[in-house]
Amino acid sequence: MIKDKNGEPVITWQMLVVIIATTLGIYACGVVSGYFYFRGEYLAKADARDRVVNEIKRKVDNLPTQPELKQALKEERR
């Protein structure tokens, strides 16, 4: 308990508990809202990245393979 010059209680332990609980509650709400805000922004960027990566994979899959290139070169030389 915190007392003033006259010995009267200024802040009791119940007041400290309420202040600490309120502070922790505000902090926890900030952490949770920040997490969801970041997650929302990250998911949009991740989706765009995944679309580009999948497009590149499709283009790479359409490229000829090594045996096909060798066969094409042999036929060209004839």
Side-chain angles (χ1 to χ4, degrees):
M1 180 171 5
I2 300 173
K3 297 182 181 184
D4 64 2
K5 293 184 227 175
N6 302 331
E8 296 178 13
V10 177
I11 297 179
T12 63
W13 67 272
Q14 293 96 339
M15 292 173 144
L16 286 175
V17 168
V18 169
I19 291 170
I20 291 171
T22 303
T23 304
L24 290 176
I26 291 170
Y27 175 77
C29 289
V31 168
V32 170
S33 66
Y35 167 76
F36 284 111
Y37 177 78
F38 173 76
R39 185 173 172 254
E41 284 192 3
Y42 177 76
L43 285 178
K45 291 177 185 176
D47 288 341
R49 180 198 64 216
D50 291 344
R51 272 188 260 119
V52 170
V53 167
N54 287 335
E55 182 180 329
I56 292 171
K57 282 183 182 178
R58 273 188 261 115
K59 287 181 180 178
V60 168
D61 289 342
N62 289 335
L63 293 174
T65 60
Q66 191 72 18
E68 291 172 350
L69 287 174
K70 286 182 181 179
Q71 184 65 29
L73 285 173
K74 283 181 184 177
E75 290 176 4
E76 241 180 56
R77 289 180 183 161
R78 291 183 190 172

